[in-house]
Amino acid sequence: MILQLAKRGSRILGVFCVAALAFSALFAACERPEPEPEPDPTPPVVDTDTLPANKFIGTWVLCGQSSSDEEPPCACTNNLTSIDTIVFTADNVLTIRHGSESVTFVYDCTPSFLIFYETNQQLRPNRVVYSFRMDDTELKITGTLANIPGSNPTTTSCFVRIDTSTEAHAVDPEVPAVNRYLGTWVSRCWTLDMNEDPDYNCTDSWPGDTLVFTENTMIQKKQGGGVMENGYEYTNTCSYLVYFRENLGYHMPNYINKTKFINDTVFFIYSWEYPAYAPTEGQFYNVSFRKIQ
């Protein structure tokens, strides 16, 4: 009898120990921290080519003009007039008015340059330097504006916003998230017909004209007739390449060219001056460049 009780107690103790061990294992499993997620090996895309928010939208009235080297320029307080007005709309239309006269353009911009052109003149657009002041309620434009008397390359015209009809948004939401120009490109083919895209698989190409782009510098190299090299600062929109040197104490673009990319390995430059630093008078080309590195 005593032996049976001892065996039964031993079995009960064994069951209890097994249950205790199982409970301990379950508790340990619940307390075990979740493994850290593996880091994404792909670095985030750095947005180097996005255009600024469209602060232009609305109606602006000329309030003063000054020499471009005056600081601070203008002094827009009580000198408002409705004779000279510029109007920007969300669909990239710019209307410049002087009294009852007006002219309409398509506009685009980089962080420093306002670019505008009539629809049939997009290969040779106008460009002016701009900046915003006074919490974006004053717009400074240095350069020539159609219909605005007194505006010229050395004059700053100041405008005050009097109406904002549409909420500001990106100038072009389709702008790529990366700077497509970065790298080294060699010229391939060209055409004198401004309405024709040049080939980019041709065998007879120019003798090694090369463009090298870093984050904000463009180096142009011409091999034919000896190596010639010129460097520029550059900026761009989704449709235009703007390259320039310091001029008159402020950035004024020396050149501006419409561009188009094909699969980020080829791009066209329209109305290109060859070579750009010593152009033939009145001679322009459409050129294809292929990326080599």
Side-chain angles (χ1 to χ4, degrees):
M1 180 70 174
I2 294 175
L3 182 60
Q4 290 178 346
L5 289 174
K7 289 181 178 179
R8 184 180 302 172
S10 178
R11 286 197 298 269
I12 294 172
L13 180 61
V15 171
F16 177 79
C17 289
V18 171
L21 288 172
F23 179 79
S24 298
L26 179 62
F27 181 78
C30 292
E31 287 294 311
R32 187 179 300 124
E34 291 291 330
E36 292 291 331
E38 290 293 328
D40 187 353
T42 305
V45 174
V46 178
D47 194 350
T48 59
D49 198 30
T50 300
L51 298 180
N54 193 341
K55 301 177 182 179
F56 294 96
I57 295 175
T59 301
W60 304 77
V61 171
L62 181 69
C63 66
Q65 290 178 324
S66 65
S67 171
S68 60
D69 58 3
E70 291 182 20
E71 188 59 39
C74 306
C76 292
T77 53
N78 300 318
N79 193 29
L80 299 179
T81 172
S82 61
I83 295 176
D84 296 300
T85 305
I86 54 178
V87 182
F88 296 89
T89 61
D91 56 354
N92 291 67
V93 173
L94 164 63
T95 302
I96 304 176
R97 299 171 178 163
H98 175 70
S100 60
E101 300 176 0
S102 67
V103 60
T104 299
F105 301 92
V106 178
Y107 76 94
D108 201 342
C109 70
T110 75
S112 301
F113 305 122
L114 174 64
I115 300 166
F116 56 99
Y117 54 89
E118 295 182 71
T119 52
N120 61 343
Q121 294 293 327
Q122 58 180 315
L123 294 184
R124 308 301 298 172
N126 303 286
R127 66 272 197 187
V128 293
V129 179
Y130 79 90
S131 62
F132 291 94
R133 298 198 321 162
M134 297 167 53
D135 295 327
D136 298 337
T137 61
E138 180 181 286
L139 173 60
K140 293 166 43 184
I141 294 179
T142 300
T144 303
L145 289 169
N147 284 0
I148 303 293
S151 66
N152 60 61
T154 61
T155 297
T156 295
S157 301
C158 295
F159 297 83
V160 170
R161 188 198 301 273
I162 61 171
D163 171 63
T164 304
S165 57
T166 308
E167 183 179 353
H169 61 87
V171 174
D172 190 333
E174 300 303 321
V175 174
V178 294
N179 189 338
R180 299 165 116 182
Y181 291 95
L182 294 179
T184 301
W185 305 76
V186 64
S187 63
R188 296 298 301 163
C189 320
W190 57 273
T191 175
L192 285 170
D193 186 346
M194 294 295 101
N195 298 313
E196 178 183 337
D197 282 352
D199 189 10
Y200 52 88
N201 291 315
C202 55
T203 55
D204 298 326
S205 61
W206 288 354
D209 291 343
T210 305
L211 297 178
V212 181
F213 293 91
T214 64
E215 286 291 342
N216 51 23
T217 301
M218 182 188 83
I219 304 296
Q220 183 184 52
K221 299 178 181 180
K222 177 182 179 296
Q223 302 291 344
V227 176
M228 299 176 65
E229 180 173 310
N230 272 266
Y232 301 87
E233 294 179 69
Y234 81 94
T235 185
N236 60 283
T237 73
C238 60
S239 302
Y240 287 99
L241 169 67
V242 185
Y243 49 108
F244 53 93
R245 294 192 178 101
E246 289 284 349
N247 184 27
L248 300 177
Y250 59 90
H251 282 150
M252 178 61 73
N254 298 84
Y255 302 96
I256 177 169
N257 291 90
K258 185 174 177 60
T259 59
K260 182 175 73 174
F261 281 83
I262 300 178
N263 296 329
D264 290 341
T265 60
V266 171
F267 81 93
F268 299 147
I269 298 181
Y270 298 90
S271 198
W272 178 252
E273 297 170 286
Y274 173 72
Y277 42 85
T280 302
E281 186 66 30
Q283 189 69 75
F284 303 102
Y285 304 79
N286 292 345
V287 190
S288 65
F289 281 80
R290 182 179 290 278
K291 194 169 189 175
I292 59 173
Q293 66 181 34

